[in-house]
């Protein structure tokens, strides 16, 4: 889509937010891209058309992201989306919109950090080898959703790997518990959410077997760490029309 003569024309939605600010910096620093529009709450999304944007990056809020994507897909603008809140119903809606705009690509990635993508993959690989798997995600207290999109996706991948392997149900003799004490049940995997000031985004996957545990931990220490994954998504999106869920599909992983 872009050549050395014509940098990819990128717009950022949520440009004044904690992640959006970093993405604007990353796009501005990329020699093969041009930041043509920065849109935040209260700004008119039509700025994307005036700027002739070819692709948008969305780090906004689960309550507004579907409206943003409706606009982008209707106007044939590719979208690289970090905003959380995508359940099966939303993904089905998006697929329907994309059928009417077959050249447009939308990438939804629960986490754009390369380390987090690997954490999810390693957790799924390890899950069938252990009796127990639980997830603890830890974030800043301004986060809108719980559990995190990354934790939900990890739980789904773990559950899928265990189903494929024919794993037995996880042992748990709890017969009485305060509400929430065992976390949220995501596809049979307990997920525990911690919100503490000072944290950025962290996750542990704790796997246990008789006599041993394995803990896979990822820490996002600075939101600049989401930039390279977003740029990789932008560079590949024109070659991936339709809906893609997960940055791993755009990476050359073994
Ligand atoms: N996939 C990934 O790798 C990552 C995903 N995320 C997700 O990204 C999202 C944003 O996170 P974060 O940056 O921390 O949140 P912030 O609240 O810091 O930023 C969101 C920004 O979007 C703005 N906004 C709200 N509505 C609109 C709209 N209709 N159009 C344009 N901008 C709008 C907000 O404005 P205002 O504050 O005035 O409402 C705010 O400036 C969350 O869903 C989060 O979970 C976060 C990190 C990594
Ligand atoms: O809101 C955040 O901060 C983050 N959101 C994403 C999620 O919900 O998984 C990604 C990362 O955890 C940071």
């Amino acid at each position: 889509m872009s050549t050395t003569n014509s940098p990819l024309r990128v717009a950022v939605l949520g440009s004044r937010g904690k992640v959006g600010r970093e993405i604007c910096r990353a796009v501005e620093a990329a020699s093969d891209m041009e930041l043509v529009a920065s849109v935040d709450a209260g700004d008119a999304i039509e700025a994307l058309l005036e700027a002739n944007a070819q692709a948008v990056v969305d780090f906004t809020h689960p309550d507004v992201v579907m409206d943003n994507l409706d606009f982008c897909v209707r106007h044939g603008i590719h979208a690289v989306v970090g905003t959380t809140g995508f359940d099966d119903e939303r993904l089905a809606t998006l697929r329907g919109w994309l059928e009417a705009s077959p050249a447009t690509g939308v990438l939804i990635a629960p986490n754009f950090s390369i380390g987090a993508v690997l954490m999810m993959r390693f957790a799924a690989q390890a899950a069938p080898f252990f009796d127990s798997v639980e997830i603890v995600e830890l974030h800043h207290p301004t986060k809108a959703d719980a559990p995190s999109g990354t934790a939900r996706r990890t739980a789904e991948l773990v559950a899928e790997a265990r189903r494929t392997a024919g794993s037995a149900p996880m042992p748990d003799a709890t017969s009485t518990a305060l509400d929430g004490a065992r976390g949220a049940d995501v596809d049979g995997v307990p997920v525990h959410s911690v919100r503490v000031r000072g944290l950025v985004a962290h996750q542990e996957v704790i796997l246990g077997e008789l006599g041993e545990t394995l803990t896979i931990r990822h820490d996002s220490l600075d939101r600049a760490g989401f930039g390279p994954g977003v740029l990789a998504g932008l560079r590949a999106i024109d070659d991936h029309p339709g809906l893609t869920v997960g940055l791993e599909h755009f990476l050359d992983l073994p």
Side-chain angles (χ1 to χ4, degrees), residues 99-224:
E99 275 171 23
S101 184
T104 307
V106 174
L107 168 64
I108 310 276
N111 203 309
F112 276 97
S113 135
I114 308 297
V117 171
L118 292 173
M119 168 192 61
M120 288 188 258
R121 170 164 290 217
F122 297 156
Q125 283 176 339
F129 294 95
F130 292 83
D131 283 346
S132 305
V133 187
E134 303 212 5
I135 297 170
V136 184
E137 57 94 340
L138 311 92
H139 282 81
H140 55 95
T142 56
K143 182 164 176 55
D145 54 330
S148 70
T150 306
R152 279 176 186 268
R153 184 72 184 138
T154 311
E156 288 166 4
L157 294 171
V158 162
E160 177 62 29
R162 289 175 66 84
R163 269 194 297 273
T164 303
S167 303
M170 296 188 207
D172 182 358
T174 308
S175 58
T176 171
L178 282 180
D179 274 358
R182 294 290 294 118
D185 179 330
V186 181
D187 215 352
V189 180
V191 178
H192 310 269
S193 297
V194 176
R195 297 290 176 266
V196 170
R197 196 167 303 288
L199 294 178
V200 178
H202 318 260
Q203 180 168 300
E204 286 188 1
V205 184
I206 305 168
L207 304 108
E209 178 59 59
L210 200 62
E212 63 169 328
T213 63
L214 168 67
T215 302
I216 304 171
R217 179 172 174 117
H218 176 260
D219 295 278
S220 281
L221 304 171
D222 187 313
R223 292 177 177 87

Side-chain angles (χ1 to χ4, degrees), residues 37-168:
S38 304
V39 176
D40 206 89
D43 299 336
I45 198 168
E46 286 73 17
L48 305 185
L49 304 182
E50 286 153 28
N52 198 17
Q54 294 169 288
V56 308
V57 178
D58 189 303
F59 280 88
T60 56
H61 192 282
D63 291 349
V64 303
V65 64
M66 288 302 277
D67 286 346
N68 291 345
L69 290 177
D70 182 21
F71 182 92
C72 291
V73 173
R74 272 191 289 113
H75 290 93
I77 303 171
H78 300 306
V80 170
V81 183
T83 307
T84 46
F86 286 90
D87 54 15
D88 288 345
E89 193 183 334
R90 283 188 171 200
L91 294 176
T93 301
L94 255 176
R95 284 194 187 93
W97 292 344
L98 283 161
E99 275 171 23
S101 184
T104 307
V106 174
L107 168 64
I108 310 276
N111 203 309
F112 276 97
S113 135
I114 308 297
V117 171
L118 292 173
M119 168 192 61
M120 288 188 258
R121 170 164 290 217
F122 297 156
Q125 283 176 339
F129 294 95
F130 292 83
D131 283 346
S132 305
V133 187
E134 303 212 5
I135 297 170
V136 184
E137 57 94 340
L138 311 92
H139 282 81
H140 55 95
T142 56
K143 182 164 176 55
D145 54 330
S148 70
T150 306
R152 279 176 186 268
R153 184 72 184 138
T154 311
E156 288 166 4
L157 294 171
V158 162
E160 177 62 29
R162 289 175 66 84
R163 269 194 297 273
T164 303
S167 303

